[in-house]
Every structure is written in C-alpha cells, then in structure tokens.
C-alpha cells in the first residue's frame, strides 16, 4: 500500500442505465469517509463484448480492462478513505469476473421504471433488452440472495420524491452513518467522472441535488412499447423488494399480516396461465373491473377431493347463461384449470378456491357487452383456509337495515360478483362488532346473512327461509338433505326475525364457513347460548360427507 493508503470497505451500487446512478455517485462523493469509482467494469465490458460506443477508445486506453486486475486492484485495492463507492451498470457484469466481486463488500440495487428510462435512453445508444440490463439486474439480486446477503433495493422515484428519507434508509440498510452532505453537490463536471461524461452527463452536470427536473413525465415513445412490455415485469420483480416508498398514490400503511402466512406465496390461475400471487392480475379493461360483471363460486378441498364440484359448476354455468355470457370455457377446461392450479400449489386438503368467470376483457371501456370480444376470463384463486368462523363455540349476528335484493331488481339466484348489497350489510355487522349481519327481504322476513344461508331449530323442527330472496346455496341444499336423512322435520317457509330471536338453535351454512352455530342475534341469546344438539348432529353428518365424497384431484395419493 502507498503512503496513507489502507484497506477500504467497498459499497457496490448496481443499476440499469439512466437510473440516477450518477447522481447517487455524486451524493456519496460528498461524504467525508467515501471515495467513488465511476463504472470500473466499463473497459472490461467493452473489451469482452466489442460493443460500439463513441467513447470506446478513450475508455480502453485509460481504464484497466483485465478482469482479475480490475476487481483485485481497482475495486478492492487500497484507498485513502474508509469506504469506496463503486457505481456499476448491471450489463457490465459479464461471465468470468472473479467471484470476489459479489462475495465481498456491501451491495445494493438502484432501480427506475422503464417508463422513465426509455423516453431519453436513445440519445447515445439505441435501446434494447440487452442495453437496459434489467435481466442482469434481477440476476444480481438473485445471486446475492444465494450468497446469503439479499441486497437493499431503492427506487429512483423515491430518491426524487424524498431523498433524505430514502438515503437515511439506505445508509441504515448498509450499516453506515447518514451524512446530510449527501443531499446536495456543486454543479459541473467532477474529477471522478468517467471519460464518457461528455456524451451522457450533461443533465446531471446541471443538477445540484435529487430534485425532479419536471413534475410530469415525458411522452412515451410508443415505438418502444414492445420493449417496455418485455422489461417492465423485470422492474416489478425488484420493485416488490423496495422496503420504503414515497411514490404518488402509494399507501402509507405497512404491509399487513396475512390470516394464513403460508398464503404469501401461492400461485393462481388468471386467463390461461398460472402466476405468482403478486402477478396474478386482470386487465383494467376486464368486465369485473369495469362493472363487477362476473360470476363466481367458492369450492373446498378435503382429503384430495373437491367437494360438490359438479354442483358448483352447474350453478356457475347457470349464472353465466342468465347474464348472457358468450365464449364461455367448457366444463372440462374449467376443471382442468382447477386441478392444475391445486396440483401446482400442492393443495390437497384444508384449502379453499375462489373460482371466478368474468365476461372478459373489453376492446374499450364501457358498459356494453358488445365490447367484450376476447372471451371470458377464468380466475382460480386457491388459498390455505380453514373454516372462517368459530364452529366450535358459535358466532353473533345483528340485523342489517340493508335489505336483500329482490328478483324485481337483481335475482339472487345469479351468483354474481357485484356484491355491494351484501357488503353494505357486512359494514353494518362490522360496525356492531358482530361476525355477520342478517338481511331481510322487502317484506321484512329473514332472507339470509350477508355471506351465508341461515337455519333455525324450534321444538325439534328445522326451518330455513325460502330461496326467493337469497342465494340457493350448495351447502344449504346439502344440509337440507342431511336434515331429512337425520330424521328431523324440515320446513322451508317465510320466517320472521322474531322467530330467529326465540329459536332453540340457529346455524348458518356456506362453503367457506361450513356449519356455523349462532349463539346471539341482536343481543338476544339463542337457546342456552351453547351449540345445540341438532347443530352438532348436522356438523358431524356434514363432516362425514366431506370425508367420503368429492371429485378426486388427479395425481393425489393419500399418505
């Protein structure tokens, strides 16, 4: 080592071009404990690839191009300060570089949306998938994770929106102290600029901080639309790893805990493909987004079988026909999508499926089904999900002021996704700290709850409301059959609210919750406030049925 030189700790900053990486280098250069290197791998990249650049000869004649030497002597060589900030462009990380490059030092990744990169990219180099380097940037992240050191990821948009908070967070992740000097620098060329600065650094030389140059973005060059579609998913892979964000319309809320943590990583079917949870999305032109124009079913999986699958599909096809859907997938196609999704997730028991069929994507926004020219969109959303209610001790209900839809308006026998009628009742239930809410029909008789069908027991007889205003549920029909098989008298008729208040037992039925006892309605205790004997009999009979019957999932073998 030379006089005054000592070993330094290297901070590697990886990014794609035109991602504010030079501004970030200027920021770190203002620290009193940091020296900076501008793209130390550039000469190696040009020598190995033969890439044409206007500064090619200057770079090759002024920089070290040997892979071993540039890593050992330039990047990790001794220095005069505690830290060395190395600005790396991801595509310059070529095969054959010494492994120490990734194994040593502190690494982080700087990303920027291709929507912001591409409008000005072609000032010197024509844009391409390779030149953007986002695939290699994802590889950098993946390789560092494999080494046991997942790197922090920051977004250039956050640097512009709130530079101090973003830099403080980055310094915390890198375990180095934040210095307020990082927030600004003097305008003009810098001694540590690469020799390519005259071709690329004009705008950054005019800057003195991370402030946005313009409030609104530049118009996007639509000749690059196909390239945008190729690279945007790669950007999104890394954007999901950003811990802090101050972007426009971003929720300030922290990520919530999931009811079942295992569902953080699941695969769902959308359209004609299986996608990871955060990528499983429909088009903004889809009818379910445009108007809630969709039908759905809830399915449960028990011991390698889908319970009542055929009955649920019957109802889905009836609902789709009632709404005049066209280009509907076949029954076999839907079943195949269900089976493939379950098998891919390894979900063979204690799982629930939200099966949706939308009218499909529109060619332009609007209400008319005449705009739906792509065919229906199928969604298979599987989750690990035990019954959602307390079936051992029971739940409480309140009566909502929101009335159940009449067939005069929208027939509840159509199992559609436009659930605002039910949601408004559920809001009332939530506000009353109840588990669910009872909904009455237009004449004041009980119809169902916001989410389930409902039964009562009085003097040994089981009663349930007519399905005039409620969904004739699959679980409801199953339970009605079980009641008869258990030699209990079953009556289907109009039932007033007071009859539920004074019932001996009450339960609700639904695929998601199964058979759920109700122990209190509107503050009134049902029976003795415990789960009743008839309810327990029906629960046992239902459990036996789910164990014995269902459509088998191909490839499942009981352990």
């Amino acid at each position: 080592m030379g006089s005054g030189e000592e070993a330094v700790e290297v901070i590697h900053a990886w990014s794609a071009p035109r991602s504010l990486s030079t501004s970030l280098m200027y920021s770190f250069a203002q620290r009193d404990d940091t020296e900076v290197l501008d793209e130390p791998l550039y000469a190696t990249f040009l020598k190995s690839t033969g890439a044409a650049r206007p500064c090619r000869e200057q770079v090759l004649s002024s920089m070290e191009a040997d892979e071993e030497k540039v890593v050992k002597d330039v990047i990790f060589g001794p220095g005069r300060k505690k830290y060395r900030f190395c600005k790396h462009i991801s595509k310059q990380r070529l095969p054959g570089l010494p492994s120490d490059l990734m194994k040593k030092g502190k690494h982080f990744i700087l990303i920027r949306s291709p929507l912001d990169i591409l409008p000005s990219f072609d000032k010197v180099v024509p844009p391409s998938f390779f030149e953007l380097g986002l695939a290699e940037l994802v590889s950098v992240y993946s390789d560092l994770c494999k080494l046991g050191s997942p790197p922090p990821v920051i977004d250039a948009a956050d640097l512009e929106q709130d530079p101090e908070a973003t830099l403080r967070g980055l310094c915390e992740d890198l375990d180095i102290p934040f210095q307020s000097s990082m927030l600004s620098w003097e305008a003009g060329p810098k001694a540590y600029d690469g020799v390519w600065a005259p071709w690329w650094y004009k705008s950054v030389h005019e800057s003195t901080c991370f402030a946005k140059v313009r409030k609104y973005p530049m118009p996007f060059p639509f000749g690059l639309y196909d390239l945008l579609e190729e690279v945007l998913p790669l950007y999104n892979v890394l954007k999901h790893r950003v811990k802090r964000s101050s972007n426009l319309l971003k929720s300030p809320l922290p990520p919530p805990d999931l009811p079942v943590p295992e569902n953080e990583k699941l695969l769902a079917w959308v359209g004609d493909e299986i996608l990871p949870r955060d990528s499983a999305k429909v088009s903004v032109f889809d009818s379910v987004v445009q108007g809630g124009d969709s039908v759905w079913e809830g399915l449960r999986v028990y011991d390698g079988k889908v319970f009542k699958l055929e009955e649920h599909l019957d109802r889905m096809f009836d609902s789709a026909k009632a709404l005049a859907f066209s280009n509907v997938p076949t029954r076999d196609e839907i079943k195949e999508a269900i089976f493939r999704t379950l098998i891919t997730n390894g979900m063979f028991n204690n799982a629930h499926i939200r099966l949706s069929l939308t009218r499909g994507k529109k060619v332009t926004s609007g209400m008319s089904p005449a705009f739906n020219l792509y065919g229906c969109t199928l969604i298979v959303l599987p989750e690990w999900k035990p019954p959602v209610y307390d079936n051992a001790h029971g739940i409480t209900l309140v009566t909502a002021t929101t009335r159940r839809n009449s067939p005069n308006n929208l027939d509840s026998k159509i199992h559609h996704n436009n659930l605002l009628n039910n949601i408004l009742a559920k809001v009332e239930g939530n506000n009353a700290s109840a588990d669910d809410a009872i909904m009455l029909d237009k004449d004041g008789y009980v119809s169902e709850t916001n989410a389930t069908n409902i039964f009562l027991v009085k003097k040994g007889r089981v009663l349930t409301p007519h399905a005039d205003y409620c969904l004739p549920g699959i679980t409801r029909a199953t339970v009605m059959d079980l009641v008869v098989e258990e030699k209990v008298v079953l009556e289907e008729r109009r039932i007033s609210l007071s009859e539920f208040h004074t019932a001996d037992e009450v339960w609700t039925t639904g695929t998601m919750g199964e058979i759920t006892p109700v122990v209190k309605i509107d503050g009134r205790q049902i029976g003795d406030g415990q789960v009743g004997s008839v309810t327990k009999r029906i629960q046992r009979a239902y459990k036996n049925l789910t164990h014995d019957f269902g459509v088998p999932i191909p490839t499942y073998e009981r352990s």
Side-chain angles (χ1 to χ4, degrees), residues 177-189:
F178 169 76
Q179 294 186 6
S180 58
S181 59
M182 300 173 71
L183 296 173
S184 63
W185 51 86
E186 292 185 0

Side-chain angles (χ1 to χ4, degrees), residues 265-501:
K265 295 180 180 180
L266 56 77
L267 300 163
W269 181 288
V270 181
D272 60 359
E273 60 182 337
I274 294 176
L275 298 165
R277 176 182 176 126
D278 288 340
S279 301
K281 301 170 184 177
V282 297
S283 167
V284 294
F285 286 96
D286 197 282
S287 288
V288 72
V289 178
Q290 297 271 324
D293 190 2
S294 175
V295 298
W296 70 281
E297 292 294 323
L299 305 168
R300 271 212 172 274
V301 180
Y302 301 93
D303 297 320
K305 302 181 296 295
V306 183
F307 188 62
K308 296 289 180 178
L309 174 59
E310 302 296 350
E311 290 86 344
H312 280 286
L313 291 180
D314 285 342
R315 187 172 62 184
M316 171 169 273
F317 282 111
D318 285 346
S319 296
K321 186 174 183 178
L323 293 177
F325 281 16
S326 58
N327 298 306
V328 176
T330 67
R331 193 182 197 90
D332 285 343
E333 287 171 337
I334 294 177
K335 289 168 75 172
E336 187 71 8
I338 292 169
F339 293 146
R340 285 179 177 271
T341 306
L342 290 173
I343 292 168
T344 303
N345 282 281
M347 291 184 177
F348 301 108
N349 192 34
N350 208 26
H352 179 272
I353 296 170
R354 176 80 173 215
L355 180 69
S356 299
L357 185 70
T358 85
R359 196 183 295 271
K361 192 168 64 172
K362 294 177 178 290
V363 294
T364 186
S365 60
M367 183 187 300
S368 175
F371 296 146
N372 291 86
L373 302 178
Y374 295 96
C376 293
T377 302
L378 179 67
I379 302 169
V380 183
L381 173 58
E383 292 182 276
W384 300 108
K385 187 177 294 240
V388 295
Y389 302 113
D390 186 349
N391 291 348
H393 303 96
I395 62 172
T396 63
L397 302 176
V398 294
T399 303
T401 60
T402 304
R403 298 296 177 100
R404 195 67 176 97
N405 284 333
S406 163
N408 287 326
N409 308 113
L410 183 59
D411 194 346
S412 297
K413 294 177 181 62
I414 303 173
H415 205 199
H416 55 81
N417 282 64
N418 203 321
L419 298 175
L420 287 177
N421 182 229
N422 308 71
I423 291 169
L424 288 172
K426 179 62 175 174
V427 169
E428 294 186 59
N430 288 348
N431 290 340
S433 299
D435 294 288
D436 269 333
I438 290 176
M439 301 183 74
L440 308 180
D441 65 23
K442 67 179 181 64
D443 295 321
Y445 291 96
V446 171
S447 172
E448 59 181 342
T449 78
N450 57 274
T452 57
N453 295 122
I454 191 165
F455 291 73
L456 69 80
V457 180
K458 186 71 173 180
K459 298 185 185 303
R461 302 167 67 91
V462 173
L463 292 80
T464 193
H466 282 299
D468 295 338
Y469 291 85
C470 71
L471 176 75
I474 306 298
T475 309
R476 173 183 181 269
T478 303
V479 167
M480 291 172 73
D481 290 340
L482 289 175
V483 168
V484 174
E485 291 175 12
E486 291 291 314
K487 310 299 184 189
V488 179
V489 175
L490 173 69
E491 188 175 349
E492 187 181 12
R493 64 168 173 84
R494 288 178 126 186
I495 308 174
S496 66
L497 183 59
S498 63
E499 290 181 273
F500 276 93
H501 288 160

Side-chain angles (χ1 to χ4, degrees), residues 186-203:
E186 292 185 0
K190 310 293 187 287
Y192 44 80
D193 285 340
V195 296
W196 50 88
W199 285 271
W200 275 286
Y201 290 4
K202 181 177 184 296
S203 60

Side-chain angles (χ1 to χ4, degrees), residues 59 104 519:
V59 172
K104 295 171 60 176
V519 295

